[in-house]
Amino acid sequence: MKKKFITLISIVVAVFIIVYIGVSLTTNMGKTEKEVTIDEANKSLEKMIKNISVTNAAPIKGQVDLDPVSLIDTLPDIEKFPISVEPSTSTFVEIFSSTEKSGTGVDGWLNEVAEEFNKSGIEVNGKQVSVKIRNIASGTATDYIRSGKYVPDAFTPSNELWGEMVKASGVKTTLVNDRLVGNVTGVVTTKTKHDELVEKYGDINVKTITDAIADNVLSMGYTDPFASSTGLNFLVTALQNFDSSDMLSSAAVSGFERFQANVPFIASTTLQMREAAKTGMLDAFVLEYQTFVNATDFKAGYEFTPFGVRHDSPLYALGDLSQEKLDIIEAFGDFVVQDKYQEAASKKGFNGLNDYQAELGTVDGAVLTSAQRLWKEKKNANKPVAAVFVADVSGSMDGEPLHRLKESLLSGQKYLGRDNSIGLVSYSSNVEINLPLAAYDTNQQSMFVGAVESLQAGGGTATFDGIAVAIKMLQDEMALDANVKPLIFVLSDGETNEGHSLKEIKRLVEAYKIPIYTIGYNANIDALHEISSINEAASINADTDDVVYKISNLLNVQM
């Protein structure tokens, strides 16, 4: 009798297991792996939200400033950007230099040559002269010069496009050398994808690249054309391919919109682009050749296809300079192109692909500025952005960190865009929805400002609870409009001591593919970087004098 009872129990259990498995299988029947993953993520998110204490703040309106905004307005003091070579004499010129040649290591070639120049004893008008090199990205340098906030004696950007923009702004610009050192920029593709594109399109160039992106057979990222020489070059080359007679025509705009709709990733910096490339999620990305040949992390298995104008580091004299200063700049230009210094440059990856001829002629600076504005207007390809800002108001943020957080949001909110939806969440031990997601009209902007101004610090730090609530807000928004592009911006000191863990929420972030940009105040930067790296977003250190400029730049790109 006992054996029969045990056998009966075993049969019942077996039937239950079979039914359970059957239900599970049929529940997911006909669904893709991605759909199954999203279903699981939805269940996990709902369960997580039930365990989080969430309150809704009463709306508070603040005073908004409706004056037009420009990134130039947020430029920090020029001393934020380091002097990489100090002058050795009282008679000298200051030169803004792009970062790939005035940095360190393989990126420090111009610094080494400038040091040699300063030791050479070269004289002008009977006086020994020298140069002062300031390491500053070409796009940022152009902003300083065009605005008049700081104009050096000379400027050597990565390519001629920035020189044309400076010239168009009204600053007197004299070309001293059209090439200090050779370089090109290009599209880097995996060998597998390169071969596929050659088979499908017959060749690899910017036209076939943009066609492949438009046809949704290539996943490619590029860099911000407001800040990146490679990004600006790619933008104008793409526009020129859509209409060679007028890169701002309706045909060019239409072509740009079609291909941009399938661009999955726009990086704020080359470093961010490289980090994204390492994940293997991109088939292609843009990069300078000098960086490509020095890379050890992904060079094997990739092909480099040059495009656009060459990146030959032209040298310009700026403004109404004295003849003495012009002579110093010319003497430096002659010194740099000597064979031994060009050989040294070649060892650092420069002067490769010298046979490549520019695909573009000279582009007027006013056209370039218009192309940037076009990109800003059309980069989201008519997909509305929904962004939730997640602010850390724990006790560790009290004082200066919270003050800088508020300053960042109040300055950056002008770049959020009227076509987007914006929300604000704050967290300490619990989570508060300070501002539900809504279209960023003047009323929403006023309430965003009011919500930010009312933030107060105190309590523990439940960072991942705050992120979970933001994800839920975005999922609800995407249920109403599947075309929404979701973003999260976390502003925190990076320390988490309450609530859910990174491990618990990481799977959700991976499933939903929501980029999480992090901005750290007095922060554990490594912890914040780990959050951002899940979906190739950027992480910014806000404990610097240029935080407002950095964040404004980030929002300009992503929003």
Side-chain angles (χ1 to χ4, degrees):
M1 183 72 181
K2 185 176 181 181
K3 287 184 178 181
K4 289 183 179 179
F5 179 74
I6 292 173
T7 301
L8 181 61
I9 292 295
S10 299
I11 293 171
V12 170
V13 170
V15 170
F16 175 80
I17 291 173
I18 292 169
V19 170
Y20 177 80
I21 292 172
V23 170
S24 298
L25 290 173
T26 54
T27 298
N28 292 330
M29 189 176 294
K31 293 183 179 180
T32 65
E33 183 178 341
K34 180 179 178 181
E35 287 172 331
V36 172
T37 302
I38 291 295
D39 282 348
E40 293 172 350
N42 288 339
K43 292 174 184 175
S44 296
L45 179 61
E46 291 292 342
K47 183 179 179 180
M48 192 176 292
I49 292 296
K50 289 178 181 179
N51 294 325
I52 299 173
S53 175
V54 184
T55 58
N56 289 274
I60 302 174
K61 285 196 172 185
Q63 191 72 35
V64 299
D65 178 5
L66 298 179
D67 290 337
V69 66
S70 168
L71 278 174
I72 288 173
D73 298 333
T74 66
L75 287 168
D77 188 278
I78 192 61
E79 296 307 321
K80 169 61 190 171
F81 299 91
I83 302 300
S84 54
V85 176
E86 292 284 359
S88 58
T89 63
S90 58
T91 304
F92 66 91
V93 294
E94 179 177 355
I95 304 173
F96 277 5
S97 170
S98 55
T99 55
E100 79 280 2
K101 58 183 184 285
S102 59
T104 59
V106 294
D107 296 330
W109 167 76
L110 190 65
N111 291 340
E112 295 173 10
V113 180
E115 295 283 5
E116 290 297 314
F117 178 83
N118 289 354
K119 295 175 184 176
S120 67
I122 288 177
E123 294 185 354
V124 169
N125 295 335
K127 294 181 285 188
Q128 286 193 6
V129 298
S130 59
V131 295
K132 174 182 181 180
I133 306 294
R134 192 180 296 273
N135 180 359
I136 182 169
S138 299
T140 304
T142 300
D143 285 344
Y144 275 98
I145 297 166
R146 290 197 299 170
S147 68
K149 186 164 185 176
Y150 193 94
V151 181
D153 303 306
F155 178 32
T156 172
S158 298
N159 64 41
E160 66 189 52
L161 301 176
W162 303 111
E164 292 301 320
M165 292 177 72
V166 167
K167 186 189 301 183
S169 72
V171 176
K172 184 178 180 180
T173 306
T174 305
L175 180 63
V176 177
N177 282 52
D178 60 3
R179 169 173 168 157
L180 292 187
V181 67
N183 202 5
V184 298
T185 193
V187 175
V188 178
T189 51
T190 63
K191 287 185 181 296
T192 301
K193 183 57 67 171
H194 178 273
D195 293 344
E196 289 177 9
L197 295 177
V198 169
E199 183 176 350
K200 181 176 177 65
Y201 297 99
D203 195 8
I204 300 291
N205 51 45
V206 170
K207 184 180 187 309
T208 57
I209 290 290
T210 54
D211 284 347
I213 294 171
D215 294 340
N216 207 23
V217 297
L218 178 69
S219 176
M220 178 185 144
Y222 65 96
T223 44
D224 170 19
F226 278 86
S228 163
S229 298
T230 302
L232 179 61
N233 198 350
F234 181 78
L235 171 65
V236 295
T237 305
L239 289 171
Q240 192 263 355
N241 272 279
F242 296 134
D243 187 340
S244 59
S245 62
D246 180 5
M247 66 175 62
L248 299 176
S249 70
S250 58
V253 173
S254 176
F256 176 77
E257 288 181 312
R258 182 167 171 261
F259 110 92
Q260 185 66 21
N262 289 318
V263 172
F265 183 64
I266 298 172
S268 299
T269 64
T270 300
L271 178 61
Q272 186 191 352
M273 178 62 69
R274 287 186 64 175
E275 290 300 313
K278 289 178 187 178
T279 67
M281 297 180 69
L282 296 174
D283 299 322
F285 51 96
V286 297
L287 206 64
E288 284 188 322
Y289 188 70
Q290 183 260 350
T291 304
F292 176 72
V293 296
N294 284 309
T296 58
D297 43 11
F298 57 74
K299 188 170 63 173
Y302 286 85
E303 296 285 347
F304 184 94
T305 304
F307 68 80
V309 301
R310 290 186 58 90
H311 282 212
D312 286 341
S313 291
L315 176 64
Y316 302 93
L318 302 176
D320 293 310
L321 300 178
S322 66
Q323 188 59 50
E324 183 176 70
K325 288 203 169 190
L326 284 171
D327 289 344
I328 298 172
I329 296 169
E330 289 177 1
F332 181 67
D334 292 339
F335 187 88
V336 166
V337 297
Q338 293 179 76
D339 288 346
K340 66 176 181 177
Y341 298 123
Q342 292 300 308
E343 289 170 6
S346 297
K347 292 177 182 178
K348 293 183 183 293
F350 291 102
N351 295 325
L353 302 184
N354 277 331
D355 293 336
Y356 172 73
Q357 299 294 315
E359 296 176 344
L360 294 173
T362 300
V363 182
D364 183 82
V367 174
L368 292 168
T369 301
S370 295
Q372 286 180 324
R373 285 198 297 265
L374 169 66
W375 177 83
K376 172 66 176 171
E377 179 185 347
K378 302 292 185 180
K379 64 183 173 62
N380 290 322
N382 298 319
K383 291 182 179 179
V385 172
V388 178
F389 290 82
V390 181
D392 182 353
V393 293
S394 61
S396 59
M397 288 290 291
D398 196 22
E400 184 62 18
L402 184 59
H403 171 75
R404 292 177 73 83
L405 183 152
K406 289 182 178 182
E407 180 186 34
S408 303
L409 287 178
L410 293 174
S411 298
Q413 53 89 18
K414 287 189 174 185
Y415 298 87
L416 298 182
R418 299 299 183 193
D419 295 331
N420 301 323
S421 295
I422 305 299
L424 175 66
V425 166
S426 62
Y427 67 89
S428 53
S429 297
N430 302 315
V431 179
E432 184 168 56
I433 299 176
N434 305 84
L435 185 65
L437 273 166
Y440 198 64
D441 55 18
T442 303
N443 186 59
Q444 184 77 347
Q445 182 181 10
S446 174
M447 289 193 290
F448 184 87
V449 170
V452 170
E453 291 175 336
S454 69
L455 294 176
Q456 295 182 354
T461 312
T463 302
F464 301 107
D465 287 2
I467 293 175
V469 172
I471 291 174
K472 181 65 169 68
M473 291 168 66
L474 290 169
Q475 289 303 111
D476 291 345
E477 187 78 4
M478 293 170 71
L480 300 174
D481 184 354
N483 288 321
V484 162
K485 175 185 175 182
L487 296 174
I488 293 175
F489 297 89
V490 177
L491 301 94
S492 171
D493 63 7
E495 301 293 347
T496 299
N497 53 32
E498 293 189 27
H500 293 86
S501 67
L502 172 61
K503 182 179 180 180
E504 289 176 286
I505 203 165
K506 184 174 182 179
R507 191 159 172 263
L508 297 180
V509 177
E510 289 172 336
Y512 292 129
K513 304 295 183 188
I514 300 175
I516 301 178
Y517 294 85
T518 57
I519 301 158
Y521 300 82
N522 193 25
N524 180 343
I525 296 299
D526 290 341
L528 294 177
H529 179 75
E530 187 173 0
I531 298 169
S532 292
S533 65
I534 296 172
N535 286 319
E536 294 84 49
S539 183
I540 291 175
N541 181 3
D543 297 327
T544 58
D545 295 335
D546 61 343
V547 60
V548 173
Y549 178 70
K550 282 182 176 180
I551 292 174
S552 298
N553 228 324
L554 173 66
L555 296 178
N556 186 58
V557 175
Q558 301 301 335
M559 301 295 292

